[in-house]
Amino acid sequence: MIAPPAQPGRFIALEGGEGVGKSTQLKMLSAALRARGMAVVTTREPGGTPGAEQIRAMLLDTAGDGWGPRAEALLFAAARADHVDRLIRPALLRGEWVLTDRFLDSSRAYQGGGSGLDDGDILALHAIGSAGLLPDRTVLLECDPAQAAARLALRDHGQNDRIGGRDTAYHARVAAAFRRFANADPQRFAIIDAGGTPDAVHARVLSALADL
Ligand code: TMP
């Protein structure tokens, strides 16, 4: 029999709107943890497993008519169920740290805050799909919309995916929803100012995880 790890792994999600620098911070954080000798798995949503990456393509490709908010929420929850079952939980059980670029709170903010679905319904889908797994810490990166737009222009050269390309009013509702969820659960969330250099933001992220 294989003995369980002395310490269970930690599950960290980076969240926020488009262009706040989540992927850059995820890379910097994983490098910092690995330098401390920790086993780290980095992943993203939607995606992270072959099945969830297929669902990602269905959700984000701009071809076709897309999905209504309810179908969209179900597809995100299905992708997440596969991701949790096949990648996240097994890694945590091995005692590894899992860092994900987006998780449940993106569904709550985009399909809930942005598209108007009820938060209780999205949490119910998460209970069914993923047994309600929550991160040990959710790092919410927030920055000024003009700075985010400039970062996105550099990254995407004006090519948005289906959801990123929604109007500014939609993205403002998403940002407000993220802030509401973070304020309602200060134990799980850390709100980080994502303005300034990547190194400055990285230092803030590390201090938000110091107790873990
Ligand atoms: P990104 O990984 O490049 O940020 O793209 C993912 C897009 O999908 C982004 O616009 C946010 C959106 N999204 C949702 O609407 N709901 C979700 O649950 C997740 C994980 C992402």
Side-chain angles (χ1 to χ4, degrees):
M1 210 179 89
I2 300 168
Q7 244 204 323
R10 298 289 194 181
F11 180 27
I12 311 295
L14 267 63
E15 293 277 13
E18 319 285 320
V20 292
K22 290 184 299 303
S23 337
T24 303
Q25 289 305 319
L26 194 99
K27 282 190 204 120
M28 294 176 85
L29 178 59
S30 65
L33 295 177
R34 286 187 182 119
R36 287 167 167 74
M38 286 135 116
V40 179
V41 174
T42 60
T43 186
R44 69 167 181 183
E45 288 210 348
T49 59
E53 290 289 336
Q54 285 185 343
I55 298 176
R56 178 186 179 95
M58 288 163 60
L59 279 160
L60 300 182
D61 281 0
T62 45
D65 294 338
W67 311 93
R70 285 176 185 279
E72 199 174 88
L74 284 158
L75 287 168
F76 276 113
R80 185 163 301 126
D82 196 62
H83 190 208
V84 166
D85 200 38
R86 296 189 165 163
L87 188 142
I88 297 174
R89 275 196 204 282
L92 294 173
L93 289 171
R94 291 193 302 269
E96 298 171 9
W97 281 56
V98 177
L99 312 181
T100 185
D101 183 338
R102 299 191 181 280
F103 192 64
L104 168 69
D105 296 298
S106 280
S107 285
R108 301 175 71 202
Y110 283 80
Q111 284 64 55
S115 303
L117 294 192
D118 181 70
D119 191 45
D121 287 347
I122 291 168
L123 292 173
L125 291 181
H126 188 56
I128 296 167
S130 303
L133 178 71
L134 290 178
D136 294 298
R137 180 83 14 97
T138 299
V139 176
L140 174 60
L141 295 173
E142 285 188 333
C143 81
D144 160 50
Q147 189 176 2
R151 281 180 182 155
L152 276 181
L154 270 179
R155 187 189 78 182
D156 296 346
H157 309 288
Q159 301 281 300
N160 281 313
D161 62 44
R162 181 187 298 289
I163 295 175
R166 290 177 183 164
D167 64 19
T168 48
Y170 182 92
H171 289 290
R173 290 199 299 280
V174 169
F178 271 129
R179 176 48 86 106
R180 267 198 317 280
F181 303 138
N183 285 338
D185 191 353
Q187 293 270 42
R188 174 163 71 87
F189 279 88
I191 301 176
I192 299 290
D193 171 8
T197 64
D199 282 330
V201 181
H202 175 58
R204 291 175 208 138
V205 171
L206 279 183
S207 68
L209 301 177
D211 61 318
L212 299 179

